[in-house]
Amino acid sequence: MSEVRVRFPPSPTGYLHIGGARTAIYNWLFARKHGGKLVLRIEDTDAERSTQESIQGIIDGLTWLGIDWDEGPYFQTAHAAEHVAAANRLLAESKAYKCFCTKEELEAKREAALAAKADYKYDRTCRCLTPEESAAKEAAGMPFVIRFKVPDRPGTVAFDDKVYGVVERAYADIEDFVIVRSNGAPLYLLSNVVDDIRDRITHIIRGQDGLTNTPRQILLYEALGAQLATYAHMPLTLDLNRAKISKRSHGEIVAVQFYRDHGFLPWALANFLVLLGWSSGDDREIFSREELIAAFSLEGINRANSVFNYRPGDPKFFTDPKALNINAHYLRTMPVEEIGGLVAEELKKEGLWDPAYDGERRGWYLATVDLIRSRFHTLKDFATLGRAYFADEFEVEPQAVEKNLRKNAELKTWLSQLADRFAALPAFTGEETERVAREMAAELNVKPGLLINAARTVVTGRVAGPSMFEVLAAMGRDRVVARLRDVEKFY
Ligand code: GLU
């Protein structure tokens, strides 16, 4: 195989969407696996909708995800003259023709077809013009578009898609499509092919929505005398209602930026996105960058559409639970020094950072991050759900108060007694606090869990969390005793 060259060609009309990011990642994996090149091409031909802000957002999003490209960004508009030249070449070689039919004429034909319940397809009126007739119309100043002459042959345009297998379309079903508008602007379908040929793209890995363009694009490749690329179309990503995920219906949840702002680790998001439409053949879900490059293949892309499992309004899971679980996995398993650095950024943003965490309290800080990370799903959780470890003002879950404190008014007294016993301990360790709590529960003839859960609520504000005696040790005696003594405020 000659050098693999793939491309990611976003249209810069909005933020980097998770669907677009997935396309970029698949192309990147394929390039890296085969020692090839990834070309970033900005398809900015829609002047009205393309923005500089969007271009920057795409570049920032890819960079954040760790997707690096080898060439570009190239800009499609910079090559407009080349696209028109290709159309002119097709005209000169009689592979395209000028069409002078007016909008009104075409509309009337379309309506007639509709009335006859027939499929509308341009009837090729201008394909039959003689060169003289055509020249005369042009000389008379009649506006025209350039249409591609679909070969008049039986059979089908067929290609072997790496995901969907052989895909065919009868020549007879393909309209003589427009390649240049009456204002001289090339159409996207043509520009895209001309750019792919110039950029020597060997594999076109794109969304299934591109599939309708492929037969026409193959005809353009052939007419331009270029060697065809290999195609691999990826399944769509749908929501639980089987609707395509989009900004309009799902809002910011489909933007890469959203995950960055909500405490995702870039590789965790990339890992999740890859699984939306690809599998290794077994049930494996967690892959390091190198493992994924080794495991990835176009054959592993599923044909079935993937489902983005997200229920708007579910407060527990603000995005697909699988994305959160994968993120949690990476949070839990990455080297503690590394996550310590990322958590530090979050704490700084929230005003919870103490410079001593980089100095004399480094050991405490890392041990605490290590302890609490086992329950967290995002980096944000350290400053929100974990706030009680870093500050004295923190929110207490109302259901924790209800369940673990208010049900038993005596806990008010018991927790202050527990505080006194903790204060008197020679050493404030996990073992010691456990011993004291269990002893006290036995004396009171209550379940130790009653005291433990109540203590958890006032000390951490949470219903659940890591082992309570480790938590107490991490919190330190002063904080624990003060919070236990303050229990009255809940009654
Ligand atoms: N610019 C197109 C898009 O963003 C890319 C289509 C293609 O990959 O050929 O949908």
Side-chain angles (χ1 to χ4, degrees):
M1 186 151 64
S2 55
E3 184 191 47
V4 162
R5 292 178 59 85
V6 292
R7 80 308 197 258
F8 176 52
S11 306
T13 55
Y15 49 54
L16 181 62
H17 181 281
I18 53 175
R22 185 188 62 161
T23 304
I25 297 169
Y26 283 7
N27 278 283
W28 174 81
L29 286 169
F30 191 70
R32 294 294 167 261
K33 175 163 186 140
H34 295 285
K37 298 275 189 289
L38 172 61
V39 176
L40 174 61
R41 184 171 73 223
I42 306 292
E43 299 206 314
D44 56 347
T45 36
D46 186 339
E48 268 167 38
R49 296 177 59 224
S50 297
T51 66
Q52 195 52 46
E53 194 190 346
S54 165
I55 295 172
Q56 198 53 51
I58 290 166
I59 288 176
D60 291 347
L62 292 174
T63 307
W64 179 73
L65 281 167
I67 304 307
D68 55 341
W69 55 94
D70 305 289
E71 288 179 28
Y74 298 143
F75 291 87
Q76 191 155 58
T77 43
H79 296 282
E82 225 178 283
H83 307 150
V84 174
N88 286 332
R89 215 178 93 206
L90 294 175
L91 268 182
E93 293 174 6
S94 224
K95 292 171 179 167
Y97 60 93
K98 292 175 182 164
C99 171
F100 299 90
C101 294
T102 64
K103 259 205 188 88
E104 294 70 25
E105 284 165 345
L106 295 175
E107 205 36 56
K109 287 178 187 176
R110 188 189 306 274
E111 276 170 21
L114 205 69
K117 294 200 177 357
D119 283 340
Y120 172 75
K121 189 155 65 65
Y122 176 60
D123 64 4
R124 301 184 170 178
T125 305
C126 292
R127 184 165 166 158
C128 309
L129 294 177
T130 63
E132 295 72 30
E133 286 168 329
S134 182
K137 284 181 187 276
E138 197 177 344
M142 287 179 72
F144 62 88
V145 298
I146 301 177
R147 284 184 188 271
F148 182 76
K149 235 185 224 181
V150 174
D152 218 352
R153 28 174 131 113
T156 59
V157 184
F159 64 100
D160 190 7
D161 188 272
K162 285 285 176 216
V163 176
Y164 289 92
V166 176
V167 178
E168 311 184 68
R169 182 112 197 262
Y171 286 106
D173 290 344
I174 307 176
E175 177 179 68
D176 280 356
F177 51 97
V178 177
I179 53 177
V180 177
R181 289 196 181 83
S182 58
N183 66 3
L187 260 95
Y188 170 72
L189 204 70
L190 172 70
S191 303
N192 185 250
V193 169
V194 171
D195 288 349
D196 282 340
I197 295 172
R198 185 198 52 254
D199 294 337
R200 306 192 317 282
I201 300 304
T202 57
H203 294 75
I204 295 179
I205 307 167
R206 65 181 177 192
Q208 197 222 53
D209 43 353
L211 208 50
T212 51
N213 290 335
T214 313
R216 285 175 293 170
Q217 294 196 307
I218 289 176
L219 293 179
L220 287 171
Y221 263 94
E222 284 172 1
L224 292 166
Q227 197 191 334
L228 202 58
T230 299
Y231 286 91
H233 288 86
M234 304 171 300
L236 301 175
T237 298
L238 306 177
D239 70 7
L240 289 172
N241 300 319
R242 304 255 133 211
K244 212 179 140 181
I245 55 166
S246 70
K247 179 178 181 183
R248 201 162 17 86
S249 37
H250 301 84
E252 54 174 4
I253 192 89
V254 300
V256 166
Q257 177 78 37
F258 175 87
Y259 294 85
R260 181 177 165 176
D261 294 346
H262 284 77
F264 266 70
L265 300 166
W267 184 252
L269 179 63
N271 188 154
F272 165 71
L273 293 178
V274 168
L275 300 178
L276 284 176
W278 174 87
S279 71
S280 61
D282 48 35
D283 289 338
R284 183 152 177 218
E285 298 202 315
I286 301 291
F287 295 87
S288 71
R289 189 177 279 268
E290 291 68 32
E291 288 167 341
L292 201 50
I293 291 170
F296 186 77
S297 73
L298 298 179
E299 289 72 25
I301 299 179
N302 308 324
R303 288 187 198 189
N305 291 327
S306 53
V307 176
F308 181 63
N309 183 355
Y310 160 64
R311 292 161 225 272
D314 183 337
K316 188 148 176 268
F317 290 117
F318 65 81
T319 181
D320 188 323
K322 187 190 250 186
L324 288 163
N325 288 336
I326 292 178
N327 203 48
H329 169 86
Y330 283 101
L331 288 180
R332 232 177 10 247
T333 53
M334 70 200 292
V336 70
E337 280 282 348
E338 199 178 318
I339 189 177
L342 298 171
V343 171
E345 295 309 310
E346 295 301 327
L347 296 182
K348 282 173 190 164
K349 275 185 231 161
E350 299 303 321
L352 298 173
W353 180 251
D354 177 346
Y357 298 160
D358 263 341
E360 70 272 20
R361 299 200 70 203
R362 186 76 190 159
W364 176 84
Y365 171 68
L366 291 180
T368 301
V369 167
D370 193 29
L371 173 69
I372 61 183
R373 68 173 165 166
S374 64
R375 295 270 175 158
F376 291 165
H377 289 93
T378 75
L379 287 170
K380 294 280 164 204
D381 291 345
F382 288 85
T384 53
L385 308 180
R387 191 182 163 96
Y389 292 86
F390 305 105
D392 286 322
E393 323 73 52
F394 55 92
E395 273 180 38
V396 180
E397 287 179 295
Q399 71 269 34
V401 175
E402 225 28 72
K403 184 168 161 236
N404 297 336
L405 292 174
R406 294 237 176 91
K407 274 201 185 146
N408 190 333
E410 281 179 296
L411 279 167
K412 204 166 33 165
T413 330
W414 296 344
L415 288 195
S416 17
Q417 285 172 9
L418 189 62
D420 294 340
R421 295 192 188 194
F422 283 168
L425 274 176
F428 192 75
T429 62
E431 296 80 58
E432 285 299 287
T433 51
E434 176 160 14
R435 187 181 55 75
V436 165
R438 290 191 190 280
E439 260 173 31
M440 195 174 144
E443 285 165 27
L444 296 169
N445 201 18
V446 297
K447 288 200 181 115
L450 184 76
L451 292 182
I452 294 171
N453 289 333
R456 182 190 300 287
T457 303
V458 297
V459 173
T460 69
R462 315 282 312 158
V463 176
S467 151
M468 193 50 200
F469 302 104
E470 285 183 56
V471 167
L472 295 180
M475 285 285 184
R477 186 194 318 246
D478 293 350
R479 261 188 177 152
V480 170
V481 168
R483 287 177 192 180
L484 289 173
R485 284 191 174 140
D486 208 19
V487 59
E488 296 210 4
K489 71 178 180 201
F490 296 105
Y491 289 89

